[in-house]
Every structure is written in structure tokens, then in C-alpha cells.
Amino acid sequence: MFVRLAASLFGAASSAVIIDAMKHDIQGIQAGSFDTIIGKFRDDAVSAVWYYKENNAADEKFLDEYQKVAKELKGIVKVCAMDCERFAKFCKDAGVGDTPSVMIYPPNPQPPFALQGELTSKRITNVLTKSVPSLVTTLTADNEAAFLTSDPSKPKVILFSNKPKVPFMWRALSAEMVFKRTIKFGFATEEANAELAKKFKINKYPSIVMQRGGKGEQKETYSGDINFQAIYSWVNLYSESGMGDKVAGAGAGESDSEEAKPWLIQDIPELTGPSHNDVCFKSEGLCVIYLKKGGITDAETTMLTGLKNRFTSHLDGRGTVLKWMWMDLDAEPNLAEMFEISTVPGAAVFNPHKRLRFTKLDDEVAADETSISALIDKIMGGDARFKMIKGGKLPTWTLRAKPEKKKSEL
């Protein structure tokens, strides 16, 4: 079946514009359907309308050129056409004079505008793709953790690329009407995000991965074709799980409705007031806490990660869970007083369930790989003595200033 926007059925006219639904990707619209198809979506979508006259030779010649645009942007941008002989008043009100005329309708509040000069498929496509907003977060070492842990109800989809710029397809997916509320799109490069690529086990470029779950525990690598429709279908399977409370308009940064929780993806997270329930007190197991003054070093993190991996393997299947973390005694003076650590760095193992209690290294023993291993072996052997927390309640955590939010790099 085709929509014939044509001259006489008897062939009286020498020229005719015929848009065949079996051959073309152009969407024919009428004056009465303009608001339904284009107007009501101006806040979210980019559209183009070719205003033509059905018996105009120039319009007939332009049809194939415009079809190239519709084919390339199918499913991404609405590429439409309206007959100005049938809907003359609408075209006049829209300011259409000679045809062919192509009007671009970018997202609000940008006004629509008519393309001037030569109307080639390449030029029209370039204008349309540049009009599509981006809600992609370009990932850096500074914002990776915040991206992956804020809005935990929203799946995060990351494109790992060996090219420096966010491709149009990725921008278009991020700005799709439903996805902009329910999915977070990230862009990572081989050069700038080597550690993140290692974390997601990326071994080829481009690669696309998705992280889901309240603690980012579900990870999936996309294995389909790299094109808009195929990726859209895959992401759409999970889009309804996003809660998307706040989304900015075109050109603005996204406003996260749920605070970032970087400790959810860190191998050795810091124990603080905001993090303590997630990393220790509201989940199964014992909390192994490395206690020091000031920040943790890379060498200390490596040492603790090695211990974590060793004991996770050693205790697998025995029902004992150890959760590993560190705490800055200078930043948490109330808890430092509770632990009574005389040798720094120190270590304590906390049982956060029912009756709060802990055991720790002897006062003269500093925490290192050997002493921490011995402490855990002592606990597993049933020889450790746990001290009850006075009053059965934790001391007050230090209130820390929230870091200032940086504008997303789009």
C-alpha cells in the first residue's frame, strides 16, 4: 500500500510527488495531524518537514534526496512531508513560499527554522544530527564513581570507544523520550578510562556494557549489532526499571534524584556516616576495618584487596562473610575513642548484628598483611575476645560536607 500525493489518476500532469510507504521512510502528515505528530513532542524530539507541491517538478526531483535523509535517520528523527496544495493555509501560516522547503523543528525552546540555500541530503542530515541534544556523561577518573552509583534505580549503559568524540547514535539514544528519564548513558575512551575498562573486562572497541541493580551487581555486555535500532531494543528491555525523577532540558546537565554512593563499587570503601549501612551494618557478615589517620594509600589498598581475595576464596562455602573497609580516625574522632587504638595503623573486626561488638589487634601491634591475617585466623578459630559497645549504640558519625556537583561534560 502506498500514500499517493500525486497529480491526476489519468496521467494528465507531467510531474507528481508520490510517497510510497513500501519504498520510502518519509512520513506524510496533514495540517490536522501536525500537533499530534510533531507539535506535542517539541520538548523532546527533533523533526524535519518538507513542504512541497504535488505537481511541482522541483519537488518531484527532490523526493529521492529527501528519502536519503529519512533512511539514514529512521527511528531517530521524524522526517516528514506535507503537501502545500492540499494544506495551503497551514503552509502560508508556517511562512512557506517556494518549494521544496525544509523546516527544522529543534527541541524547545529553540524556534523552528527553514533551511536556506542548497537542499542536499548531507546538509539536511548534518543540521538534524547537530540539533539532537546529548544527555551522555563523558566519563573521567573524577566522575566515574558518581556516575555508576548515583540513581541506583537507573541502569547505566556505557559505550567504550577508541575514538575521542561521542557518536551521534549514542547522543540520540540518551535523548530518547523514555530513556532520558530511565537510563543513564556514559561514554568512555580507551585512553582516558583504562581502569574502568579493566573493571568491566573490556578487550575490544567499541564495546557496550550495562550495569543494573541497587548495588550495581548485575553487569551485561551487549553482543548485538552496533546500530541505533538494535541497541535501542536491547536497552528498552530494562528501561522501565528506572525511576527518573528529574531530567533537565536540552543542553543542561541532568539533575540526579538519588545521591551518588561511590563506596558501592570500591574494592575497599571508606567507612563513614553515609556509607556505614551499605558497607557494614545492614548486610550479612563481619566487618574488617583498617584504621589509620588520614587517607588510604594505593599500597594499603592493594594489600587489603589481596587479603580480601584470599579470605573470600578460603572461606567460600563455610558460611562466613568478611566485608573489607577502612576508616580515617582523624575524621571520625567519636569512633576513634570507641576503638581506643594506640598503634596506627590498626585493625578491628566488627560484628554489627544484634549485640554490637568488636575485637581488634593488640595495642602494640601495627596492622599489616601478617597481623590482619592472624587476627582473622584467631576469630575463625573461636579464640578472639569481642568487646561489647557501651549502651549498645554506635557513637555519632561526623557530619561531612557534600562535595560540590560538577556540571556534566556533554
Side-chain angles (χ1 to χ4, degrees):
M1 178 180 179
F2 63 84
V3 177
R4 183 179 180 112
L5 308 173
S8 167
L9 293 174
F10 301 102
S14 58
S15 298
V17 176
I18 301 174
I19 300 178
D20 186 339
M22 300 299 293
K23 291 173 52 179
H24 299 115
D25 300 295
I26 302 165
Q27 182 176 3
I29 61 173
Q30 303 177 3
S33 63
F34 180 89
D35 283 340
T36 302
I37 296 172
I38 294 177
K40 68 183 291 186
F41 298 107
R42 285 290 313 281
D43 286 341
D44 300 296
V46 177
S47 305
V49 179
W50 162 35
Y51 293 99
Y52 69 93
K53 294 174 183 174
E54 61 182 1
N55 294 311
N56 181 23
D59 283 305
E60 181 188 26
K61 182 179 179 181
F62 180 66
L63 173 60
D64 288 343
E65 194 72 10
Y66 195 61
Q67 164 59 18
K68 294 176 185 177
V69 180
K71 182 176 181 180
E72 184 170 348
L73 300 181
K74 183 177 181 181
I76 305 175
V77 173
K78 291 182 180 179
V79 180
C80 305
M82 182 184 292
D83 179 4
C84 285
E85 290 188 358
R86 291 182 61 193
F87 306 105
K89 183 178 185 306
F90 186 96
C91 292
K92 182 180 179 181
D93 292 343
V96 177
D98 296 335
T99 62
S101 176
V102 174
M103 189 80 76
I104 306 297
Y105 295 87
N108 287 325
Q110 302 175 72
F113 60 93
L115 279 182
Q116 304 297 322
E118 187 179 11
L119 296 178
T120 64
S121 59
K122 182 177 180 180
R123 180 164 175 257
I124 298 169
T125 300
N126 285 343
V127 171
L128 287 171
T129 55
K130 289 179 180 178
S131 298
V132 174
S134 176
L135 294 175
V136 176
T137 299
T138 298
L139 299 177
T140 67
D142 292 334
N143 68 8
E144 287 172 355
F147 174 82
L148 290 169
T149 62
S150 61
D151 283 330
S153 60
K154 291 184 182 181
K156 284 80 178 175
V157 188
I158 304 173
L159 170 63
F160 286 87
S161 175
N162 53 9
K163 297 180 180 179
K165 293 185 178 180
V166 180
F168 164 67
M169 173 195 69
W170 206 243
R171 290 193 287 115
L173 284 164
S174 77
E176 196 274 336
M177 283 191 304
V178 175
F179 291 172
K180 69 186 292 185
R181 294 184 294 102
T182 60
I183 305 288
K184 296 183 71 172
F185 285 83
F187 178 72
T189 64
E190 184 176 14
E191 181 178 353
N193 306 97
E195 288 302 314
L196 188 66
K198 187 184 300 183
K199 180 181 181 65
F200 281 97
K201 300 179 181 178
I202 301 300
N203 51 33
K204 68 174 184 176
Y205 294 85
S207 286
I208 298 171
V209 297
M210 179 185 291
Q211 175 182 288
R212 305 187 303 275
K215 294 186 178 181
E217 66 275 11
Q218 300 175 58
K219 294 177 176 61
E220 182 176 344
T221 301
Y222 175 69
S223 59
D225 294 333
I226 304 293
N227 62 61
F228 181 91
Q229 293 295 342
I231 298 171
Y232 172 89
S233 297
W234 176 64
V235 174
N236 194 47
L237 295 173
Y238 309 99
S239 66
E240 291 307 312
S241 65
M243 301 303 290
D245 293 323
K246 296 180 182 178
V247 177
E254 182 177 346
S255 175
D256 294 329
S257 58
E258 301 172 67
E259 292 294 333
K261 294 184 176 183
W263 53 83
L264 293 179
I265 62 169
Q266 293 168 343
D267 286 330
I268 309 297
E270 182 181 4
L271 187 64
T272 66
S275 74
H276 77 278
N277 279 330
D278 289 328
V279 303
C280 178
F281 289 84
K282 295 297 183 182
S283 58
E284 178 188 359
L286 301 175
C287 307
V288 183
I289 310 170
Y290 185 72
L291 302 164
K292 65 169 304 184
K293 294 183 178 182
I296 193 169
T297 66
D298 290 342
E300 290 170 323
T301 300
T302 299
M303 180 267 292
L304 292 169
T305 302
L307 285 170
K308 174 184 175 180
N309 293 337
R310 187 208 311 171
F311 278 100
T312 297
S313 175
H314 180 66
L315 298 175
D316 186 35
R318 294 173 57 182
T320 302
V321 175
L322 297 178
K323 296 167 290 187
W324 295 76
M325 61 212 67
W326 69 279
M327 192 177 75
D328 181 355
L329 296 171
D330 287 339
E332 299 292 346
N334 295 330
L335 277 89
E337 183 179 351
M338 177 190 75
F339 282 123
E340 297 180 325
I341 298 297
S342 57
T343 302
V344 177
V349 177
F350 204 102
N351 186 333
H353 307 293
K354 295 183 180 179
R355 295 176 299 166
L356 300 180
R357 54 201 187 277
F358 69 91
T359 188
K360 63 178 183 176
L361 293 174
D362 293 337
D363 289 342
E364 69 279 4
V365 178
D368 59 18
E369 184 173 354
T370 300
S371 61
I372 295 173
S373 296
L375 176 62
I376 294 174
D377 288 338
K378 188 175 181 181
I379 294 169
M380 295 299 106
D383 297 324
R385 295 182 62 183
F386 280 79
K387 178 180 179 180
M388 304 295 295
I389 300 298
K390 187 177 180 180
K393 290 185 178 181
L394 284 174
T396 303
W397 295 92
T398 299
L399 292 177
R400 305 193 189 187
K402 293 181 180 179
E404 291 185 7
K405 288 186 177 181
K406 298 182 180 180
K407 292 183 178 180
S408 295
E409 184 181 347
L410 301 178

